[in-house]
Amino acid sequence: MRFSKQRQIVLDILLESNDHLTADQIFQRAQEKDTNISVATVYRNLNQLEGRGLINKVNRLSTVSLYDGNIEPHDHLHCRKCLRLYDIPKKEVPNIIDQVAFNTGHTIEQAEIIFSGLCQTCKAEEMKS
Amino acid sequence: MRFSKQRQIVLDILLESNDHLTADQIFQRAQEKDTNISVATVYRNLNQLEGRGLINKVNRLSTVSLYDGNIEPHDHLHCRKCLRLYDIPKKEVPNIIDQVAFNTGHTIEQAEIIFSGLCQTCKAEEMKS
DNA sequence: CTAAATGCAAAAGATTTGCTGGCGT
DNA sequence: ACGCCAGCAAATCTTTTGCATTTAG
């Protein structure tokens, strides 16, 4: 992986900051350091850096929202092979809210969990080969 | 809440389906049932229905992605008052992966958790008033 | 009857892509 | 020199909004 001046700047901004930044915020900060950088470069670098595990992206599920008629509280499993999203009823998931609230000092009202891995079906197929 | 033909169709589509649907998929299915429905109506109805708790929206954090230089695995707390996103180190969070894998039969490799509630700071302010 | 909902088209916001030229190794 | 990377602008995709008209209760 090549480290251009721009890529380095994007990475530095993220490493220096303790916050979570939007691409646009990163773009603005980068402009202050380098008069000539484009949004496209910022996005391309963010994708590259994330792909190599150098940075983290929150909200990675997809760019579109998904809607669900199931309003019973539940979590999700995102299968990395078939990419399907499965519902996981809350009763299958140990409740960790009190423990985390105690450990962190925040007031926690809800937890929304996205599991990832292989669904039953894809796991079975993987076995065959 | 008024129940127009279009709103009913949008809701029915979600209730009939066991899947998670994108707004566009819902729009397409709705078109098959009602020649005259617009994307705008679909979106407006999805927002209304979600606001009243009749349907569920996944990926609710925001429409933009957030990037984070912290690649140590961690979860997040989204404060409903100041809207800030806090990192929660994994060591504060009980590991539930094995339990959920056992309960569901899926292979689970990772869990990404978004807690919501009140952060320490906002909680303290709430106390004063 | 009247507030709320619709359709349409345009706007807005986020992200990606094509192309051409430049830079890192 | 070669291929990766940048800049720019246009394109794409998702979602929202303004406005005039229709409709549910």
PDB file of all heavy atoms in Angstrom, chain B residues 114-127:
ATOM      1  N   ILE B 114     -24.484  -1.424  19.598  1.00  0.00           N
ATOM      2  CA  ILE B 114     -24.729  -0.002  19.826  1.00  0.00           C
ATOM      3  C   ILE B 114     -25.683   0.122  20.997  1.00  0.00           C
ATOM      4  O   ILE B 114     -26.854  -0.241  20.913  1.00  0.00           O
ATOM      5  CB  ILE B 114     -25.318   0.671  18.576  1.00  0.00           C
ATOM      6  CG1 ILE B 114     -24.310   0.586  17.433  1.00  0.00           C
ATOM      7  CG2 ILE B 114     -25.669   2.131  18.879  1.00  0.00           C
ATOM      8  CD1 ILE B 114     -24.854   1.045  16.102  1.00  0.00           C
ATOM      9  N   PHE B 115     -25.134   0.607  22.115  1.00  0.00           N
ATOM     10  CA  PHE B 115     -25.963   0.860  23.277  1.00  0.00           C
ATOM     11  C   PHE B 115     -26.593   2.226  23.115  1.00  0.00           C
ATOM     12  O   PHE B 115     -25.990   3.124  22.517  1.00  0.00           O
ATOM     13  CB  PHE B 115     -25.106   0.857  24.548  1.00  0.00           C
ATOM     14  CG  PHE B 115     -24.472  -0.473  24.835  1.00  0.00           C
ATOM     15  CD1 PHE B 115     -23.139  -0.706  24.510  1.00  0.00           C
ATOM     16  CD2 PHE B 115     -25.208  -1.488  25.422  1.00  0.00           C
ATOM     17  CE1 PHE B 115     -22.545  -1.933  24.774  1.00  0.00           C
ATOM     18  CE2 PHE B 115     -24.619  -2.720  25.687  1.00  0.00           C
ATOM     19  CZ  PHE B 115     -23.288  -2.939  25.361  1.00  0.00           C
ATOM     20  N   SER B 116     -27.778   2.399  23.656  1.00  0.00           N
ATOM     21  CA  SER B 116     -28.276   3.765  23.719  1.00  0.00           C
ATOM     22  C   SER B 116     -28.817   4.055  25.092  1.00  0.00           C
ATOM     23  O   SER B 116     -29.201   3.148  25.841  1.00  0.00           O
ATOM     24  CB  SER B 116     -29.304   4.039  22.622  1.00  0.00           C
ATOM     25  OG  SER B 116     -30.157   2.948  22.474  1.00  0.00           O
ATOM     26  N   GLY B 117     -28.796   5.331  25.410  1.00  0.00           N
ATOM     27  CA  GLY B 117     -29.194   5.753  26.750  1.00  0.00           C
ATOM     28  C   GLY B 117     -28.658   7.139  27.010  1.00  0.00           C
ATOM     29  O   GLY B 117     -28.639   7.982  26.115  1.00  0.00           O
ATOM     30  N   LEU B 118     -28.216   7.355  28.242  1.00  0.00           N
ATOM     31  CA  LEU B 118     -27.678   8.661  28.616  1.00  0.00           C
ATOM     32  C   LEU B 118     -26.232   8.490  29.040  1.00  0.00           C
ATOM     33  O   LEU B 118     -25.922   7.631  29.861  1.00  0.00           O
ATOM     34  CB  LEU B 118     -28.451   9.228  29.803  1.00  0.00           C
ATOM     35  CG  LEU B 118     -29.796   9.881  29.530  1.00  0.00           C
ATOM     36  CD1 LEU B 118     -30.412  10.341  30.839  1.00  0.00           C
ATOM     37  CD2 LEU B 118     -29.624  11.070  28.589  1.00  0.00           C
ATOM     38  N   CYS B 119     -25.380   9.334  28.516  1.00  0.00           N
ATOM     39  CA  CYS B 119     -23.984   9.246  28.936  1.00  0.00           C
ATOM     40  C   CYS B 119     -23.846   9.804  30.355  1.00  0.00           C
ATOM     41  O   CYS B 119     -24.729  10.496  30.845  1.00  0.00           O
ATOM     42  CB  CYS B 119     -23.091  10.007  27.973  1.00  0.00           C
ATOM     43  SG  CYS B 119     -23.294  11.794  28.038  1.00  0.00           S
ATOM     44  N   GLN B 120     -22.730   9.512  30.987  1.00  0.00           N
ATOM     45  CA  GLN B 120     -22.470   9.983  32.351  1.00  0.00           C
ATOM     46  C   GLN B 120     -22.782  11.458  32.527  1.00  0.00           C
ATOM     47  O   GLN B 120     -23.440  11.868  33.471  1.00  0.00           O
ATOM     48  CB  GLN B 120     -20.989   9.778  32.680  1.00  0.00           C
ATOM     49  CG  GLN B 120     -20.607   8.367  33.031  1.00  0.00           C
ATOM     50  CD  GLN B 120     -19.165   8.322  33.518  1.00  0.00           C
ATOM     51  OE1 GLN B 120     -18.334   9.101  33.050  1.00  0.00           O
ATOM     52  NE2 GLN B 120     -18.880   7.427  34.448  1.00  0.00           N
ATOM     53  N   THR B 121     -22.256  12.249  31.588  1.00  0.00           N
ATOM     54  CA  THR B 121     -22.393  13.701  31.684  1.00  0.00           C
ATOM     55  C   THR B 121     -23.853  14.146  31.633  1.00  0.00           C
ATOM     56  O   THR B 121     -24.317  14.924  32.474  1.00  0.00           O
ATOM     57  CB  THR B 121     -21.617  14.370  30.536  1.00  0.00           C
ATOM     58  OG1 THR B 121     -20.331  13.755  30.438  1.00  0.00           O
ATOM     59  CG2 THR B 121     -21.482  15.851  30.775  1.00  0.00           C
ATOM     60  N   CYS B 122     -24.565  13.660  30.646  1.00  0.00           N
ATOM     61  CA  CYS B 122     -25.968  14.066  30.507  1.00  0.00           C
ATOM     62  C   CYS B 122     -26.814  13.554  31.662  1.00  0.00           C
ATOM     63  O   CYS B 122     -27.777  14.189  32.080  1.00  0.00           O
ATOM     64  CB  CYS B 122     -26.537  13.573  29.180  1.00  0.00           C
ATOM     65  SG  CYS B 122     -25.878  14.480  27.772  1.00  0.00           S
ATOM     66  N   LYS B 123     -26.439  12.402  32.166  1.00  0.00           N
ATOM     67  CA  LYS B 123     -27.137  11.839  33.313  1.00  0.00           C
ATOM     68  C   LYS B 123     -26.971  12.762  34.523  1.00  0.00           C
ATOM     69  O   LYS B 123     -27.926  13.089  35.213  1.00  0.00           O
ATOM     70  CB  LYS B 123     -26.520  10.483  33.616  1.00  0.00           C
ATOM     71  CG  LYS B 123     -27.091   9.743  34.783  1.00  0.00           C
ATOM     72  CD  LYS B 123     -26.515   8.339  34.755  1.00  0.00           C
ATOM     73  CE  LYS B 123     -26.096   7.773  36.069  1.00  0.00           C
ATOM     74  NZ  LYS B 123     -25.347   6.525  35.860  1.00  0.00           N
ATOM     75  N   ALA B 124     -25.750  13.253  34.714  1.00  0.00           N
ATOM     76  CA  ALA B 124     -25.479  14.150  35.839  1.00  0.00           C
ATOM     77  C   ALA B 124     -26.300  15.427  35.707  1.00  0.00           C
ATOM     78  O   ALA B 124     -26.872  15.922  36.683  1.00  0.00           O
ATOM     79  CB  ALA B 124     -23.997  14.475  35.899  1.00  0.00           C
ATOM     80  N   GLU B 125     -26.380  15.947  34.484  1.00  0.00           N
ATOM     81  CA  GLU B 125     -27.157  17.171  34.268  1.00  0.00           C
ATOM     82  C   GLU B 125     -28.643  16.954  34.510  1.00  0.00           C
ATOM     83  O   GLU B 125     -29.341  17.827  35.007  1.00  0.00           O
ATOM     84  CB  GLU B 125     -26.950  17.685  32.850  1.00  0.00           C
ATOM     85  CG  GLU B 125     -25.612  18.377  32.673  1.00  0.00           C
ATOM     86  CD  GLU B 125     -25.553  19.122  31.358  1.00  0.00           C
ATOM     87  OE1 GLU B 125     -26.620  19.345  30.756  1.00  0.00           O
ATOM     88  OE2 GLU B 125     -24.431  19.471  30.944  1.00  0.00           O
ATOM     89  N   GLU B 126     -29.096  15.783  34.121  1.00  0.00           N
ATOM     90  CA  GLU B 126     -30.507  15.458  34.302  1.00  0.00           C
ATOM     91  C   GLU B 126     -30.857  15.433  35.795  1.00  0.00           C
ATOM     92  O   GLU B 126     -31.947  15.814  36.203  1.00  0.00           O
ATOM     93  CB  GLU B 126     -30.797  14.091  33.664  1.00  0.00           C
ATOM     94  CG  GLU B 126     -32.254  13.870  33.357  1.00  0.00           C
ATOM     95  CD  GLU B 126     -32.480  13.618  31.865  1.00  0.00           C
ATOM     96  OE1 GLU B 126     -32.158  14.506  31.049  1.00  0.00           O
ATOM     97  OE2 GLU B 126     -32.982  12.546  31.550  1.00  0.00           O
ATOM     98  N   MET B 127     -29.899  15.026  36.610  1.00  0.00           N
ATOM     99  CA  MET B 127     -30.103  14.936  38.055  1.00  0.00           C
ATOM    100  C   MET B 127     -30.408  16.310  38.645  1.00  0.00           C
ATOM    101  O   MET B 127     -31.279  16.461  39.495  1.00  0.00           O
ATOM    102  CB  MET B 127     -28.842  14.384  38.742  1.00  0.00           C
ATOM    103  CG  MET B 127     -28.511  12.942  38.407  1.00  0.00           C
ATOM    104  SD  MET B 127     -29.810  11.785  38.931  1.00  0.00           S
ATOM    105  CE  MET B 127     -28.954  10.226  38.710  1.00  0.00           C
TER     106      MET B 127
END
